[in-house]
Amino acid sequence: MNAFEYAMPKSIDEAISLLSETPGESQVMAGGTDLVTALKQGIVSPKRVVSLRHIDELKSIEASGDGLRIGAMATLDDLAAHDGVKAGAASIVTAIKGIGSQQITSIGTIGGDLCQLPRDWYFRLGFGLVAQYEGKDLVAEGDNRYHAIFGNDGPAKFVNASVLAPALIALGAKASVVGSGGAKREIALEELFHAPKKSEDGNTTLASNEIVTHILLPLGARKNALYHVKPRHGLDWPIVSAAVAFENDGGKAKNARGGLGHVAPMPWVSASAAKALEGAALDEDTAAKVGAAAAEGASPLSRNAYKVHLTKVAVKRAILAAMA
Amino acid sequence: MAKNAWPPADKTVLMGKRIARLDGPAKSTGRAKYAYDMNRPGMLYARLLSSPHAAAKVTAINLDEAKKVPGVVGAWAEIATAEPDNEVRYAGEIIASVAATSEEAAREALTKIQVQYQVLPHLVDDTDATKSDGREQGEDKPDAAAVDAAISGAEVKVSGKYGLACITHACHESHGQVCEFGADGNLYVWPSTQNVSAYAGGLKDASGLAVNQIFVDCQYMGGGFGSKFDSGRWGAISVRISKETGKPVKLMLERDQELLIGGNRPSAYADVTVGATKDGTISVWSSNAWGSGGMGGAGRLGVPYVFTKIPNVRTLSKGVRTNRRGAVAWRAPGHPQACLITMAAIADLAAELKMDELEFFLKNVALTDRPEVYTEELKIAADMIGYKDKAHLRSNPTPGTLKRGLGIGIHTWGGIGNDSQTEVVINPDGAVSVSIGTQDLGVGTRTAVAIVAAETLGLPLDKVQANIGKNSYPPSGASGGSTTIGGVSASTRDASTIALNALLEKVAPVLGVTVDELEARDGKIQVAATPSKSLPWAKACSLLGQMPISGRGENKRGKGVSDGTILDDQGVGGVQIADVSVDVETGQVFINEFVAVQDCGRIVDLLTAESQVYGALIMGVTYALYEECIYDNITGRMLNADLEFYRLATLADVGKLKVHMMTGPGYDTRGVIGLGEPPVIAPGAAISNAVANAIGVRVPTLPLTPEKVLAALEQGGKLA
């Protein structure tokens, strides 16, 4: 760990100023469950760490229109315990409970989960998000058992680590982002992520002085569920996850949306799956067909074809769980 | 006169009962201080720089910038920069060290050390012996003709590849120590070690002191599993730094270093052909095995395991030297590997015969050294897990996507008691101290020592002070190979008996009887035939006057205690049966129940003995389902040198564990036998067999990850 300044702004404006003063050399800290490790291991070496923990307006979960306005610093425990989330977003509760660690969910936040760094082992060994070594693409030529099966035609082949993003995307969430001079923008959550061409481009589309302040989560009478495959019951991260949301229109799916986790450098939205589900009868046959559709276009690497199979199963089971 | 021979099991007050660890409260409240917890005034924090390369030559090391980091007291090269001693043989090899007044400064200084490497080609993949580039060692070539004939003549036979990945010890407490030179010129060391009495020897050169000037103290330690017998390079480096700086030094490995260089359990892979008669009697075994723990290769694989009396046997075995840290003893060296490969092949043969696995094991116990024990244990284990109701042939799987299966593994181990000495002091006020230079790896050795002394002296447990963990106490052997409990129980019984007899000499005339008529029981010295004729313990001890009395007891490995009585024994068998569910769509394996039936001779503390087995089952689930050192072929680096992707089972993963210790005639009529190794041997075999029984195909190698389970299902044409 290098020596760094630790800033504790009390307001969003102050946080943006602190980030703007040191462009590209600051790191935003939310719960810190992963960042502290990354700092200690030298994966990130910022000159300044800007903690958002003392900005009270980022911690609340408020009703807003037909949904919720969730502060980026709301903890995962707060989210999972919220009545509105429990009633209208079971997929989010499943994702949080699946982490399997009280320590992480009590201090980890929704914003931190979304913006966290990949857990790719080449990245964590210091080879960068676009892992290269002596001209070799480490992921493509190395051990890619946990890597991307979609969106991996570019140089980045890690998988996005967020456990919440698939569920939030399926539910149509938006991210409220504040940046330079307090400028605000609202983006569909899937637009928060990208596959970088270069390691220094990061795994989100945020500018170095931008932060996610809130997540806008529409809640309605939608069926929704998430299914994830984890190696361990206890603390572990999914190998694959799938979230779905749809309305039950007389036994058929309407306004179907989905999100896949841990299969691409960004949370993956499968257009073919959404298409296969839209208007289809809500039955087991449909679930299996949508699962198969979700796997269309997969481009597995040398040893992760099993994740294509797991994607089919996870999507099928998410739909079945949502139907139940 | 008190005798050394153990009292009958039904006559004991403490021995063989369920007694909680004496140091449980200290550990659970954090009062217990481990090496990492030791802090000395003015102490420096030392850290090691590891090589990122698996094979290289170091051509230059520049420490200048590291020394400039505020708080840094020194930085040292730990490898030569010129031929021939500048070769790096594995990722993680120690290159340099730093010492600083804070851990943060030490860590930062490591990042400032500049090392020039001339990178060399490496081999880290041990799964394919044909790609080992002449790095094989130790192949044997027994006569083939008879075995070939037996194979071709076998009425039923199967061939398969089986194996398990190289894993590491993953000690919760990493390797290392705190050390300090006292004003008296002596060296004081607080290490994490399995070998208190002999630890100092490794620090002689670095300290420049004789062993009698090095004082070792290890009251608690957080896991060794065979990897903490010596002080290691890190131990010597910290002593050297302490000597040079004049400051106490703490040097513990970082987590990634613990996994990289703490030690490896070698992998093992084998192509096996095994045959039987139609009625299910194993008739022939042929195997070609290889494996690697790293740079030293691997020892010979001892297959067929347990079923050593198979009539026709051919085994080829070789080690492959890879660019990884070498093999270090890991609980029951070689046995978990041999057990998995043997039991898997045999279970596959039973499946081929369409014969129930339990029936097949029972039919073939005659091919083992302990048929009666295994027969009894197999039947108990089967009852405990509800075998009759749950069992099905591999060819007849349970319906649905969550398929259930049972699997069996059986194992053996020696467990003779080590050389050990104990001193028991009885004070005139009745207080008793027991001192022995053994160590408690967390398994309850301290408690066992107190139990044996208290039982022998007829006292409640809290009247005995058990002192362990210092090399100033009477020497006791390293805790390896399940040799501790037999050794310390014997020497403590001997010492207690000697001290007691000295006390009885004083009491006999007062009670007007001979020494031979007396016994110590229920806090009294009493006449055995007329217990009403007695002296309370304190009163008896007051007869000592001013001077305490003491007894020095000794167990000599294989030769008994001071009067020749043999109080230990060796040779045990154990049976384990796993009940698993496998999700055949996701490849996930879930442990439902896991049963272990184990003998270990005379049991000292039933609770800690059971606890030892529970712990072994958890460690077994871990290596069966999760553990694997994953190395990258391109960079030669370990990809999962952390506890995130080097997965250890959590309590949510281990299922319902059930342990049964064998007691009664034939078991507790024997001496005390060690229990550290046996129960950790068979879990991989039992779980692998249960998965095969559940899904109808063999997953050839451990760990049984979703990736491998799905691949096996696909290959077997059983993927949904």
Side-chain angles (χ1 to χ4, degrees), chain A residues 93-146:
Chain A
V93 178
T94 303
I96 293 169
K97 298 290 181 196
I99 292 171
S101 162
Q102 186 64 55
Q103 289 91 335
I104 289 177
T105 56
S106 67
I107 197 170
T109 66
I110 182 172
D113 171 76
L114 292 169
C115 297
Q116 67 181 297
L117 293 163
R119 297 182 184 277
D120 168 25
W121 44 35
Y122 291 109
F123 170 63
R124 297 282 166 159
L125 280 175
F127 292 106
L129 286 175
V130 175
Q132 298 283 323
Y133 179 75
E134 292 183 340
K136 288 187 168 144
D137 180 332
L138 283 175
V139 178
E141 298 180 50
D143 194 320
N144 47 45
R145 70 183 74 181
Y146 299 127

Coordinates of all heavy atoms in Angstrom, one line a residue, chain A residues 93-146:
Chain A
V93 N -32.9 -9.1 -3.3 CA -32.7 -9.8 -2.0 C -31.9 -11.1 -2.2 O -31.0 -11.4 -1.4 CB -34.0 -10.0 -1.3 CG1 -33.8 -10.8 0.0 CG2 -34.8 -8.7 -1.1
T94 N -32.3 -11.8 -3.2 CA -31.5 -13.1 -3.5 C -30.1 -12.8 -3.7 O -29.2 -13.5 -3.2 CB -32.1 -13.8 -4.7 OG1 -33.5 -14.0 -4.5 CG2 -31.5 -15.1 -5.0
A95 N -29.8 -11.8 -4.5 CA -28.4 -11.5 -4.9 C -27.6 -11.2 -3.6 O -26.5 -11.6 -3.4 CB -28.3 -10.3 -5.9
I96 N -28.2 -10.4 -2.7 CA -27.5 -9.9 -1.5 C -27.3 -11.1 -0.5 O -26.2 -11.3 0.0 CB -28.2 -8.8 -0.8 CG1 -28.2 -7.5 -1.8 CG2 -27.7 -8.5 0.5 CD1 -29.1 -6.4 -1.3
K97 N -28.4 -11.9 -0.3 CA -28.2 -13.0 0.6 C -27.2 -14.0 0.1 O -26.5 -14.7 0.8 CB -29.6 -13.7 0.7 CG -30.7 -12.9 1.3 CD -30.4 -12.6 2.8 CE -31.6 -11.7 3.4 NZ -31.2 -11.1 4.7
G98 N -27.1 -14.1 -1.2 CA -26.1 -15.0 -1.9 C -24.7 -14.7 -1.6 O -23.8 -15.6 -1.7
I99 N -24.4 -13.5 -1.2 CA -23.0 -13.1 -0.9 C -22.4 -14.0 0.2 O -21.3 -14.4 0.2 CB -22.8 -11.6 -0.6 CG1 -23.1 -10.8 -1.8 CG2 -21.4 -11.3 0.0 CD1 -23.3 -9.3 -1.6
G100 N -23.3 -14.3 1.2 CA -22.9 -15.3 2.2 C -21.9 -14.7 3.2 O -21.2 -15.4 3.9
S101 N -21.9 -13.4 3.4 CA -21.0 -12.8 4.4 C -21.7 -11.6 5.0 O -21.9 -10.6 4.4 CB -19.7 -12.4 3.7 OG -19.0 -11.4 4.6
Q102 N -22.0 -11.8 6.3 CA -22.6 -10.7 7.1 C -21.6 -9.5 7.1 O -22.0 -8.3 7.1 CB -22.9 -11.2 8.5 CG -23.6 -10.1 9.3 CD -25.0 -9.9 8.8 OE1 -25.8 -10.8 8.6 NE2 -25.3 -8.6 8.5
Q103 N -20.3 -9.8 7.2 CA -19.4 -8.7 7.2 C -19.4 -7.8 6.0 O -19.4 -6.6 6.1 CB -17.9 -9.2 7.4 CG -17.6 -9.8 8.7 CD -17.9 -11.3 8.8 OE1 -18.8 -11.8 8.0 NE2 -17.3 -12.1 9.7
I104 N -19.6 -8.4 4.8 CA -19.6 -7.7 3.6 C -21.0 -7.0 3.4 O -21.0 -5.8 3.1 CB -19.3 -8.6 2.4 CG1 -17.8 -9.0 2.4 CG2 -19.6 -7.9 1.1 CD1 -17.4 -9.9 1.4
T105 N -22.1 -7.6 3.7 CA -23.3 -7.0 3.4 C -23.7 -5.9 4.5 O -24.5 -5.0 4.2 CB -24.5 -8.0 3.4 OG1 -24.5 -8.8 4.7 CG2 -24.3 -9.0 2.3
S106 N -23.0 -5.9 5.6 CA -23.3 -4.9 6.6 C -22.6 -3.6 6.3 O -23.0 -2.5 6.7 CB -23.0 -5.4 8.0 OG -21.6 -5.5 8.1
I107 N -21.5 -3.7 5.5 CA -20.8 -2.4 5.3 C -20.7 -2.1 3.8 O -20.6 -1.0 3.3 CB -19.3 -2.5 5.9 CG1 -18.7 -1.1 5.9 CG2 -18.4 -3.5 5.1 CD1 -17.4 -1.1 6.7
G108 N -20.9 -3.2 2.9 CA -20.9 -3.0 1.5 C -22.1 -2.2 1.0 O -23.1 -2.3 1.7
T109 N -21.9 -1.5 0.0 CA -23.0 -0.6 -0.5 C -23.5 -1.0 -1.9 O -22.7 -1.6 -2.7 CB -22.6 0.8 -0.5 OG1 -21.5 1.0 -1.5 CG2 -22.1 1.3 0.9
I110 N -24.6 -0.4 -2.3 CA -25.1 -0.7 -3.7 C -24.2 0.0 -4.7 O -23.8 -0.6 -5.7 CB -26.6 -0.2 -3.8 CG1 -27.1 -0.5 -5.2 CG2 -26.7 1.3 -3.5 CD1 -28.6 -0.2 -5.4
G111 N -23.7 1.2 -4.4 CA -22.8 1.9 -5.3 C -21.5 1.2 -5.4 O -20.9 1.1 -6.5
G112 N -21.0 0.7 -4.3 CA -19.7 0.0 -4.3 C -19.8 -1.3 -5.0 O -18.9 -1.7 -5.8
D113 N -21.0 -2.0 -4.9 CA -21.1 -3.3 -5.6 C -21.1 -3.0 -7.1 O -20.5 -3.7 -7.9 CB -22.5 -3.9 -5.2 CG -22.8 -5.1 -6.1 OD1 -22.2 -6.2 -5.9 OD2 -23.6 -4.9 -7.0
L114 N -21.8 -1.9 -7.5 CA -21.9 -1.7 -9.0 C -20.5 -1.2 -9.6 O -20.2 -1.6 -10.7 CB -22.9 -0.6 -9.2 CG -24.4 -1.0 -9.0 CD1 -25.3 0.2 -9.0 CD2 -24.8 -2.0 -10.0
C115 N -19.8 -0.5 -8.8 CA -18.5 0.1 -9.3 C -17.3 -0.7 -9.0 O -16.2 -0.2 -9.3 CB -18.4 1.6 -8.9 SG -19.7 2.6 -9.4
Q116 N -17.4 -1.8 -8.3 CA -16.2 -2.5 -7.8 C -15.4 -3.0 -9.0 O -15.8 -3.2 -10.1 CB -16.7 -3.7 -7.0 CG -17.4 -4.8 -7.8 CD -17.8 -6.0 -6.9 OE1 -17.0 -6.6 -6.3 NE2 -19.1 -6.2 -6.8
L117 N -14.1 -3.3 -8.7 CA -13.2 -3.7 -9.7 C -13.4 -5.2 -9.9 O -13.9 -6.0 -9.0 CB -11.7 -3.5 -9.1 CG -11.4 -2.0 -9.0 CD1 -10.1 -1.9 -8.1 CD2 -11.1 -1.4 -10.4
P118 N -13.0 -5.7 -11.1 CA -13.2 -7.1 -11.4 C -12.3 -8.0 -10.4 O -11.3 -7.5 -9.9 CB -12.7 -7.3 -12.8 CG -12.7 -5.9 -13.4 CD -12.5 -5.0 -12.2
R119 N -12.8 -9.2 -10.3 CA -12.0 -10.2 -9.4 C -11.1 -11.1 -10.3 O -10.6 -12.0 -9.8 CB -13.0 -11.0 -8.6 CG -13.8 -10.1 -7.7 CD -14.7 -10.8 -6.8 NE -15.5 -9.8 -6.0 CZ -15.0 -9.3 -4.9 NH1 -13.9 -9.6 -4.4 NH2 -15.7 -8.3 -4.3
D120 N -11.0 -10.7 -11.5 CA -10.1 -11.5 -12.4 C -8.7 -11.7 -11.8 O -8.1 -10.7 -11.4 CB -10.0 -10.7 -13.7 CG -8.9 -11.2 -14.7 OD1 -8.6 -12.4 -14.6 OD2 -8.4 -10.4 -15.5
W121 N -8.2 -12.9 -11.8 CA -7.0 -13.1 -11.1 C -5.8 -12.5 -11.9 O -4.8 -12.2 -11.2 CB -6.8 -14.6 -10.8 CG -7.1 -15.6 -11.8 CD1 -6.9 -15.6 -13.2 CD2 -7.6 -17.0 -11.6 NE1 -7.3 -16.8 -13.8 CE2 -7.7 -17.6 -12.8 CE3 -7.9 -17.6 -10.4 CZ2 -8.2 -18.9 -12.9 CZ3 -8.4 -18.9 -10.5 CH2 -8.5 -19.6 -11.7
Y122 N -5.8 -12.4 -13.1 CA -4.7 -11.7 -13.8 C -4.6 -10.3 -13.4 O -3.6 -9.7 -13.2 CB -4.8 -11.9 -15.3 CG -4.6 -13.3 -15.8 CD1 -5.6 -14.1 -16.3 CD2 -3.3 -13.9 -15.7 CE1 -5.4 -15.4 -16.7 CE2 -3.1 -15.2 -16.1 CZ -4.1 -16.0 -16.6 OH -3.9 -17.3 -17.0
F123 N -5.8 -9.6 -13.4 CA -5.9 -8.2 -13.0 C -5.4 -8.1 -11.5 O -4.6 -7.2 -11.2 CB -7.3 -7.8 -13.1 CG -7.6 -6.4 -12.4 CD1 -7.0 -5.3 -12.9 CD2 -8.4 -6.3 -11.3 CE1 -7.2 -4.0 -12.3 CE2 -8.7 -5.1 -10.7 CZ -8.0 -3.9 -11.2
R124 N -5.8 -9.0 -10.7 CA -5.4 -8.9 -9.3 C -3.9 -9.2 -9.1 O -3.3 -8.9 -8.0 CB -6.2 -9.9 -8.4 CG -7.7 -9.6 -8.4 CD -8.0 -8.4 -7.5 NE -9.4 -7.9 -7.8 CZ -10.1 -7.2 -6.9 NH1 -9.5 -6.9 -5.7 NH2 -11.2 -6.7 -7.2
L125 N -3.3 -9.9 -10.1 CA -1.8 -10.1 -10.0 C -1.0 -8.9 -10.6 O 0.2 -8.9 -10.7 CB -1.4 -11.4 -10.7 CG -1.6 -12.7 -9.9 CD1 -1.3 -13.9 -10.8 CD2 -0.8 -12.7 -8.7
G126 N -1.8 -7.9 -11.1 CA -1.1 -6.7 -11.5 C -0.9 -6.6 -13.0 O -0.2 -5.8 -13.5
F127 N -1.6 -7.5 -13.8 CA -1.4 -7.5 -15.2 C -2.4 -6.6 -16.0 O -2.4 -6.5 -17.2 CB -1.5 -8.9 -15.8 CG -0.4 -9.8 -15.4 CD1 -0.6 -10.8 -14.4 CD2 0.9 -9.7 -15.9 CE1 0.5 -11.6 -14.0 CE2 2.0 -10.5 -15.5 CZ 1.8 -11.5 -14.6
G128 N -3.2 -5.9 -15.2 CA -4.1 -4.9 -15.8 C -5.4 -5.5 -16.2 O -5.6 -6.7 -16.2
L129 N -6.4 -4.6 -16.4 CA -7.8 -5.1 -16.8 C -7.7 -5.8 -18.2 O -8.4 -6.8 -18.4 CB -8.7 -3.9 -16.9 CG -9.2 -3.3 -15.6 CD1 -10.1 -2.1 -15.9 CD2 -10.0 -4.3 -14.8
V130 N -6.8 -5.3 -19.1 CA -6.6 -6.0 -20.3 C -5.3 -6.7 -20.1 O -4.2 -6.2 -20.3 CB -6.5 -5.0 -21.5 CG1 -6.1 -5.6 -22.8 CG2 -7.8 -4.2 -21.6
A131 N -5.4 -7.9 -19.7 CA -4.2 -8.6 -19.1 C -3.3 -9.1 -20.2 O -3.6 -10.0 -21.0 CB -4.7 -9.8 -18.3
Q132 N -2.1 -8.5 -20.2 CA -1.1 -8.8 -21.2 C 0.2 -9.1 -20.5 O 0.5 -8.6 -19.5 CB -0.9 -7.6 -22.1 CG -2.1 -7.1 -22.9 CD -2.4 -8.0 -24.1 OE1 -1.5 -8.5 -24.7 NE2 -3.7 -8.2 -24.4
Y133 N 1.0 -10.0 -21.2 CA 2.3 -10.4 -20.6 C 3.2 -10.8 -21.8 O 2.9 -11.7 -22.5 CB 2.2 -11.5 -19.6 CG 3.5 -12.0 -19.0 CD1 4.1 -11.2 -18.1 CD2 4.1 -13.2 -19.5 CE1 5.3 -11.6 -17.5 CE2 5.3 -13.6 -18.9 CZ 5.9 -12.8 -17.9 OH 7.1 -13.2 -17.4
E134 N 4.2 -10.0 -22.0 CA 5.1 -10.3 -23.1 C 4.4 -10.5 -24.4 O 4.6 -11.5 -25.2 CB 6.0 -11.4 -22.8 CG 7.0 -11.1 -21.6 CD 8.0 -12.2 -21.3 OE1 7.7 -13.3 -21.7 OE2 9.0 -11.8 -20.7
G135 N 3.4 -9.6 -24.7 CA 2.7 -9.7 -26.0 C 1.6 -10.8 -26.0 O 1.0 -11.0 -27.0
K136 N 1.5 -11.5 -24.9 CA 0.4 -12.5 -24.9 C -0.8 -12.0 -24.2 O -0.8 -11.3 -23.2 CB 1.0 -13.8 -24.2 CG 2.0 -14.5 -25.0 CD 2.4 -15.8 -24.3 CE 3.2 -16.7 -25.3 NZ 4.3 -17.4 -24.6
D137 N -2.0 -12.5 -24.7 CA -3.2 -12.2 -24.1 C -3.4 -13.3 -23.0 O -3.7 -14.4 -23.3 CB -4.4 -12.3 -25.1 CG -5.7 -12.0 -24.5 OD1 -5.9 -12.3 -23.3 OD2 -6.6 -11.5 -25.3
L138 N -3.2 -12.9 -21.8 CA -3.1 -13.9 -20.7 C -4.4 -14.7 -20.6 O -4.4 -15.9 -20.3 CB -2.8 -13.2 -19.4 CG -1.3 -12.8 -19.2 CD1 -1.1 -12.1 -17.9 CD2 -0.4 -14.1 -19.2
V139 N -5.6 -14.0 -20.7 CA -6.8 -14.6 -20.5 C -7.1 -15.6 -21.7 O -7.4 -16.8 -21.4 CB -8.0 -13.6 -20.4 CG1 -9.3 -14.4 -20.3 CG2 -7.8 -12.7 -19.2
A140 N -6.9 -15.2 -22.9 CA -7.2 -16.0 -24.0 C -6.3 -17.2 -24.0 O -6.7 -18.4 -24.3 CB -7.1 -15.2 -25.3
E141 N -5.0 -17.1 -23.7 CA -4.1 -18.2 -23.8 C -3.8 -18.9 -22.4 O -3.2 -19.9 -22.4 CB -2.7 -17.6 -24.3 CG -2.8 -17.0 -25.7 CD -1.5 -16.5 -26.2 OE1 -0.5 -17.2 -26.1 OE2 -1.4 -15.3 -26.6
G142 N -4.4 -18.3 -21.4 CA -4.1 -18.8 -20.0 C -5.3 -19.5 -19.4 O -6.1 -20.2 -20.1
D143 N -5.5 -19.4 -18.1 CA -6.5 -20.0 -17.4 C -7.8 -19.1 -17.3 O -7.8 -18.2 -16.5 CB -6.1 -20.4 -16.0 CG -7.0 -21.4 -15.3 OD1 -8.3 -21.3 -15.5 OD2 -6.5 -22.3 -14.7
N144 N -8.7 -19.4 -18.2 CA -9.9 -18.5 -18.3 C -11.2 -19.2 -17.8 O -12.3 -18.9 -18.3 CB -10.0 -18.1 -19.8 CG -9.9 -19.3 -20.7 OD1 -10.5 -20.3 -20.5 ND2 -9.1 -19.1 -21.8
R145 N -11.0 -20.1 -16.8 CA -12.2 -20.9 -16.4 C -13.3 -20.0 -15.8 O -14.5 -20.3 -15.9 CB -11.8 -21.9 -15.3 CG -11.4 -21.3 -14.0 CD -10.9 -22.4 -13.1 NE -9.6 -22.9 -13.4 CZ -8.9 -23.8 -12.7 NH1 -9.5 -24.4 -11.7 NH2 -7.7 -24.2 -13.1
Y146 N -13.0 -18.8 -15.3 CA -14.0 -17.9 -14.8 C -14.2 -16.7 -15.6 O -14.9 -15.7 -15.2 CB -13.5 -17.4 -13.4 CG -13.4 -18.5 -12.4 CD1 -12.2 -18.7 -11.6 CD2 -14.4 -19.5 -12.1 CE1 -12.0 -19.7 -10.7 CE2 -14.2 -20.5 -11.2 CZ -13.0 -20.6 -10.5 OH -12.9 -21.6 -9.6

